[in-house]
Each structure stands twice: as structure tokens, then as C-alpha cells.
Amino acid sequence: SNHFDIPMLAEEFLRAGIDFDFSKCRLIDAQTIFHKMERRNLAAAYKFFCGRKMEDDFTAHRADEDTEATYRVLMAELDMYAPGVQEEPDRVLENDMDFLAEFSKQNDNVDFAGRIVWKPLLGADGKPLLDKDGKERKFEAFNFGKYRGRSVADVLRADPGYYSWMMTGDFTFNTKQVLTRIRLKGFNK
């Protein structure tokens, strides 16, 4: 409720001219309680899927052992959500790299920081254009600043100084790497 319902209610109150002060309310959010009580980290996943405490099997914060624990969690997830094990079709995971990669996707970020994102290429009718396989065609767009929503390639052509500004700015190395790849792709066209 605190992430969607209450902000929407506050907007509606203000739109209706009602000045309601939510700071005086005690807002109880079941989702926040759930996330705080049911941890979402590797140790919690290991206990849930493997039935054991991670500290009983591994030394904390060792990359090799964290990798082994993550592998065991993934194998247990594939077993738990295998076809024939789950009754609901939307709770079935295919043991397929492409399927799992697509299923794991949380956003349309091109870079890890989310400064550049994939946006659908729209036709004159405002609907997404599709490729030969029926998937949406997409382009890389800035997700911040004065060029938010604009094609990175177009911006780099129209304002070459923006590339230099980003390369010397406080952006992650990954963002700079992605930006450079897009720029080089533009030179090769």
C-alpha cells in the first residue's frame, strides 16, 4: 500500500482539493513487512530451496563458496519449478538458458546502472514495430538528463560533446563502455 495505493490516494485527495496530512498517519504496509521478514538474499534462498543453513555448509563471503551455493539454489529451483511438478503453468521454469535469461530479466537496461535503456521503436501509428520474428524492435535511449528518452546514437551524432562529457563524468565504467560501443557502431554504419 505504501508504494502504490497511499501515493495514489494522496494524489486523488489533492486533486479533489482535500489537504490530508499523511505524515500524521500510521501506515502499515504488508509488502514491506514481508520483505523485511522474509529476506531475499543468498542465505535465505539457500535455506528455502536447499533446506539447510548456508553457514553450516559454507564460509561466508567467499566467492567460490557463494558461487557453489548459488549453483545449488539454481538446481533446486529448477527441480521445484520443473514441468510436471508445478500445477500452475506460470510457475514452471524451463531448464533452458534462453528461457531462464529472459525470465530473469528485470528491466530493459542496456548498462547495469540503467543510464541507457532499450526503448521500443514506434511506427507512425504509435505502435511498436516488430522484427521478422514478431519481436519488438528496440533502440538504445538515454534514461536521464536533458536527452532522456532520446536515441543515444542520434544524440551522439547531433551533440558529439555529450560523449566527451559522459566519458569524463562520474559514470560507471560499464556505462562508458556501453556508450563507446554505441558510438563505434555509429561510425561503422
Side-chain angles (χ1 to χ4, degrees), residues 63-110:
D64 59 336
E65 294 188 12
D66 283 355
T67 302
E68 175 67 24
T70 302
Y71 172 76
R72 290 184 191 181
V73 167
L74 176 60
M75 293 299 100
E77 287 172 335
L78 290 172
D79 289 343
M80 180 179 282
Y81 301 115
V85 175
Q86 293 293 321
E87 293 178 19
E88 301 168 43
D90 63 335
R91 292 186 50 83
V92 173
L93 289 178
E94 295 176 31
N95 190 349
D96 173 80
M97 297 285 285
D98 291 334
F99 173 86
L100 293 171
E102 186 62 31
F103 186 82
S104 298
K105 207 182 241 186
Q106 291 185 329
N107 52 47
D108 277 336
N109 291 356
V110 179

Side-chain angles (χ1 to χ4, degrees), residues 53-64:
K53 289 185 176 181
M54 200 168 145
E55 59 268 19
D56 291 344
D57 294 341
F58 300 104
T59 306
H61 307 299
R62 286 202 36 185
D64 59 336

Side-chain angles (χ1 to χ4, degrees), residues 9-188:
L9 184 60
E11 287 298 309
E12 288 303 315
F13 275 153
L14 292 170
R15 192 170 297 145
I18 301 169
D19 186 12
F20 188 86
D21 186 359
F22 282 92
S23 70
K24 306 264 191 274
C25 296
R26 289 174 289 187
L27 302 173
I28 299 167
D29 185 18
Q31 183 183 34
T32 300
I33 292 170
F34 174 66
H35 287 176
K36 287 185 174 184
M37 297 305 288
E38 300 301 325
R39 300 284 182 218
R40 297 290 186 251
N41 58 26
L42 181 56
Y46 191 79
K47 184 171 183 174
F48 181 81
F49 288 105
C50 300
R52 297 180 48 82
K53 289 185 176 181
M54 200 168 145
E55 59 268 19
D56 291 344
D57 294 341
F58 300 104
T59 306
H61 307 299
R62 286 202 36 185
D64 59 336
E65 294 188 12
D66 283 355
T67 302
E68 175 67 24
T70 302
Y71 172 76
R72 290 184 191 181
V73 167
L74 176 60
M75 293 299 100
E77 287 172 335
L78 290 172
D79 289 343
M80 180 179 282
Y81 301 115
V85 175
Q86 293 293 321
E87 293 178 19
E88 301 168 43
D90 63 335
R91 292 186 50 83
V92 173
L93 289 178
E94 295 176 31
N95 190 349
D96 173 80
M97 297 285 285
D98 291 334
F99 173 86
L100 293 171
E102 186 62 31
F103 186 82
S104 298
K105 207 182 241 186
Q106 291 185 329
N107 52 47
D108 277 336
N109 291 356
V110 179
D111 65 326
F112 293 123
R115 298 296 192 154
I116 301 171
V117 295
W118 290 106
K119 291 197 58 130
L121 188 61
L122 304 177
D125 60 0
K127 294 181 181 175
L129 296 174
L130 305 178
D131 66 13
K132 60 180 172 48
D133 298 322
K135 292 185 179 180
E136 281 187 359
R137 291 174 52 194
K138 296 185 177 191
F139 67 96
E140 296 109 333
F142 283 111
N143 195 31
F144 74 99
K146 66 182 182 178
Y147 292 124
R148 182 185 193 101
R150 299 231 351 239
S151 161
V152 174
D154 291 350
V155 168
L156 295 180
R157 273 191 298 278
D159 183 359
Y162 203 68
Y163 174 82
S164 299
W165 173 75
M166 285 189 68
M167 293 306 286
T168 59
D170 189 23
F171 295 95
T172 65
F173 289 119
N174 174 252
T175 298
K176 293 175 182 181
Q177 178 187 43
V178 167
L179 186 68
T180 300
R181 284 185 187 150
I182 295 167
R183 183 173 184 237
L184 291 174
K185 192 169 42 171
F187 286 146
N188 292 329

